[in-house]
Amino acid sequence: MISTGDKSETPNTQGVVRKLIAKLNGKKYFLVLDDVWNTYLDLWVNLRNSLIGIVGSKESRILVTTRSIDVVSAMQTYPSCTHQLTTLSKADCLAMFGKKPFASGGPRESQTLSDIGRRMVEKCNGVPLAINSLGDLLYSKQNKQEWESIEESETWSLLENEEGIFSVLRLCFDHLTSPSLKQLFAYCSIFPKDHVIMKDELIQLWLGLGYLKSSSRRKVEMEELGNDSIFIPCA
């Protein structure tokens, strides 16, 4: 097995495939195509035919991960080669959640809060990221009234047809304590899906738009404020 360690700067698929062929021909490889969403059959057939040109050892494998059953259909994968992950069990969901909000510095654990949290965890539909994000959100909420407010939020019903993660992430955004933080994160919505956002460039954009403010108005301090904002957890 080898790792190329390269980041391709080639903008087209054929260029990337040519680089792979040069690196992998004659070697044993494990190629992962992660988080695929494209369901266009022609595009997948072209890519698959190109990948077949990588002549490696018989033990070589290509793994595709996706959250869309439509992608599986478009790829025409043999059923025996398809493994569909299930969501977390109820017990695992509660175990994961229990480590979050009641950690040191969070609210004191009680039966009342545990019951409210258990009901909200069920709305996460077994999605780990949703459960973790919910735990991070509730960590900053110290009393029963705050937990009940989140449980009774309209956001759950507005996004009930979506994966649990969308409801939780929206709740996290709604409960950001600083209006300026909401402005910073809302600005990121102008970028298209799958766009790679460079941290330093984003900070400069925030700076140019006047979103970053400090008492001294020194540029260095405002850049540090932008850097800190990127790493602020759900709170």
Side-chain angles (χ1 to χ4, degrees), residues 153-223:
S153 171
E154 292 183 354
T155 301
W156 295 108
S157 58
L158 289 174
L159 298 175
E160 63 182 356
N161 294 325
E162 303 288 348
E163 292 183 6
I165 184 58
F166 291 106
S167 298
V168 176
L169 292 181
R170 176 58 188 266
L171 284 167
C172 286
F173 177 81
D174 290 343
H175 283 80
L176 285 172
T177 55
S178 167
S180 61
L181 272 178
K182 287 187 176 181
Q183 186 180 44
L184 296 181
F185 284 108
Y187 176 78
C188 295
S189 66
I190 70 171
F191 298 103
K193 178 178 170 57
D194 294 329
H195 178 80
V196 178
I197 301 176
M198 306 304 294
K199 182 190 71 172
D200 292 339
E201 293 178 7
L202 179 61
I203 292 174
Q204 292 304 314
L205 289 170
W206 283 342
L207 192 62
L209 291 168
Y211 290 171
L212 300 176
K213 297 180 175 63
S214 70
S215 56
S216 68
R217 298 190 63 81
R218 291 177 60 238
K219 183 178 179 182
V220 172
E221 286 189 7
M222 288 189 285
E223 288 178 342

Side-chain angles (χ1 to χ4, degrees), residues 116-137:
I116 297 172
R118 186 179 298 108
R119 292 194 295 269
M120 284 190 280
V121 167
E122 291 178 359
K123 299 179 181 182
C124 293
N125 298 323
V127 179
L129 180 57
I131 296 166
N132 269 323
S133 299
L134 177 64
D136 288 339
L137 172 60

Side-chain angles (χ1 to χ4, degrees), residues 6-143:
D6 292 342
K7 179 178 179 180
S8 176
E9 298 178 356
T10 308
N12 61 79
T13 302
Q14 292 305 317
V16 173
V17 172
R18 282 196 295 270
K19 288 195 69 173
L20 286 173
I21 291 175
K23 289 283 187 178
L24 303 178
N25 258 359
K27 298 182 175 70
K28 180 179 178 180
Y29 64 83
F30 181 52
L31 178 61
V32 179
L33 305 179
D34 187 40
D35 199 20
V36 176
W37 283 95
N38 199 312
T39 58
Y40 291 102
L41 179 59
D42 290 344
L43 292 177
W44 168 242
V45 169
N46 290 336
L47 175 60
R48 181 176 58 189
N49 291 339
S50 298
L51 293 176
I52 290 175
I54 304 176
V55 183
S57 135
K58 290 183 179 180
E59 291 80 18
S60 298
R61 295 291 184 269
I62 298 176
L63 173 67
V64 178
T65 69
T66 181
R67 285 178 283 168
S68 170
I69 194 65
D70 293 332
V71 171
V72 177
S73 177
M75 290 181 171
Q76 299 178 332
T77 306
Y78 291 113
S80 60
C81 296
T82 301
H83 178 68
Q84 188 165 357
L85 293 176
T86 59
T87 54
L88 294 180
S89 68
K90 184 176 180 179
D92 287 340
C93 289
L94 293 175
M96 175 180 289
F97 174 77
K99 298 177 182 179
K100 284 285 185 174
F102 303 121
S104 177
R108 183 175 180 179
E109 186 172 3
S110 68
Q111 188 61 51
T112 299
L113 292 186
S114 294
D115 289 342
I116 297 172
R118 186 179 298 108
R119 292 194 295 269
M120 284 190 280
V121 167
E122 291 178 359
K123 299 179 181 182
C124 293
N125 298 323
V127 179
L129 180 57
I131 296 166
N132 269 323
S133 299
L134 177 64
D136 288 339
L137 172 60
L138 295 174
Y139 176 81
S140 64
K141 310 303 179 185
Q142 295 293 322
N143 57 62

